[in-house]
Amino acid sequence: RNHRALQQCIERGIPVVIATSRPTRIFNRIFPQDLREKCSYIVMSGAVTKGNPPLSGYYKEAFPIDIVRRIIEAGRFFNPAVRITLELDGYEFGVDWEIDYSMLWQRNSATPDMVLSIEEALKRQPCKVAIGGAGVTINIHALETRLKEQFGDQLSIVSALIGTPLLNITTKTATKPGSLHKLLGPHGISLKDVLAFGDDLPDLDMLRECGISIAMANAFPEV
């Protein structure tokens, strides 16, 4: 039913944009291949944005390295065992946690050549930092508060609670509504003319700024 609805929008020339906090490698695995090139997408909360017809453009918002190092230091100060992941382009990523290579594809939609050390990733202009993940208990809300106090005017810091709780950290301008504007603005489409669906906390800003917003039945109460 969802597939048919998207296909009908595409056939009528209505732009369809998939916006997710997930990296491209996971988006490509779970989104139907026959629709992939017909929809535009925003991945990693806005760090990478790609327009497909009738939209266009490609945008990547990378961090200054010194900012990433300060984020890592702040996360480790909060909890030395915290898991930190640096996303580069939606495919390659750096980690400071032990990878289970036997489960890498099942859990991360990745192959071993995509995995780098944190120091290697820092040299390659990371565009998203994820803090948290399976195996380490951490107070996501407390960490989010601390990081916002330290970096709130420089970064977009959003918690995600569906599945394994973690923090999604991007540059201040790498957000879902900001990326929608980059895709739609050149075509004269206002966010007030956008119909948006969401379920988790990273969707809140997008839902607030779009003209018609719909929360999924299983959405968090805040959504």
Side-chain angles (χ1 to χ4, degrees):
R1 180 183 176 187
N2 292 335
H3 189 288
R4 187 167 63 250
L6 292 180
Q7 187 63 50
Q8 289 175 348
C9 288
I10 292 165
E11 290 170 357
R12 297 179 189 186
I14 299 171
V16 176
V17 182
I18 308 300
T20 177
S21 299
R22 295 176 176 87
T24 315
R25 61 184 180 274
I26 295 178
F27 167 78
N28 284 345
R29 184 175 179 179
I30 63 178
F31 195 67
Q33 186 172 1
D34 64 313
L35 294 179
R36 202 176 299 155
E37 296 303 315
K38 300 175 183 178
C39 298
S40 299
Y41 61 81
I42 297 165
V43 295
M44 299 183 291
S45 302
V48 171
T49 302
K50 185 178 186 298
N52 285 319
L55 305 179
S56 60
Y58 177 85
Y59 309 92
K60 176 184 172 182
E61 301 261 359
F63 291 103
I65 291 178
D66 63 312
I67 291 289
V68 183
R69 289 193 183 279
R70 289 171 59 200
I71 295 169
I72 293 171
E73 289 172 5
R76 288 174 176 167
F77 180 81
F78 185 86
N79 182 343
V82 72
R83 289 168 54 129
I84 296 174
T85 304
L86 304 185
E87 295 285 355
L88 299 183
D89 56 2
Y91 294 97
E92 294 183 302
F93 58 104
V95 300
D96 69 345
W97 39 278
E98 186 175 351
I99 290 281
D100 179 356
Y101 284 97
S102 68
M103 296 296 291
L104 184 61
W105 177 254
Q106 291 91 325
R107 293 177 179 171
N108 303 96
S109 296
T111 51
D113 57 307
M114 295 181 184
V115 184
L116 308 172
S117 69
I118 289 290
E119 286 303 317
E120 288 175 315
L122 282 168
K123 300 174 185 176
R124 304 271 297 279
Q125 291 190 304
C127 60
K128 178 188 170 186
V129 181
I131 299 182
V136 178
T137 301
I138 186 169
N139 187 329
I140 287 293
H141 291 301
L143 178 56
E144 180 180 8
T145 299
R146 175 171 293 186
L147 290 176
K148 283 183 174 178
E149 289 172 353
Q150 189 169 349
F151 302 104
D153 60 337
Q154 299 171 287
L155 303 172
S156 171
I157 303 169
V158 182
S159 58
L161 302 179
I162 289 181
T164 302
L166 54 82
L167 285 183
N168 297 299
I169 305 173
T170 57
T171 66
K172 193 70 174 177
T173 54
T175 64
K176 290 183 180 180
S179 295
L180 279 173
H181 181 72
K182 290 172 192 169
L183 288 173
L184 302 174
H187 297 267
I189 302 173
S190 165
L191 293 193
K192 298 303 179 186
D193 296 323
V194 174
L195 169 66
F197 297 81
D199 61 355
D200 201 354
L201 301 184
D203 300 320
L204 279 174
D205 286 348
M206 177 182 69
L207 294 172
R208 289 189 184 107
E209 295 196 33
C210 290
I212 302 175
S213 296
I214 297 173
M216 310 306 293
N218 64 342
F220 276 97
E222 295 91 335
V223 177

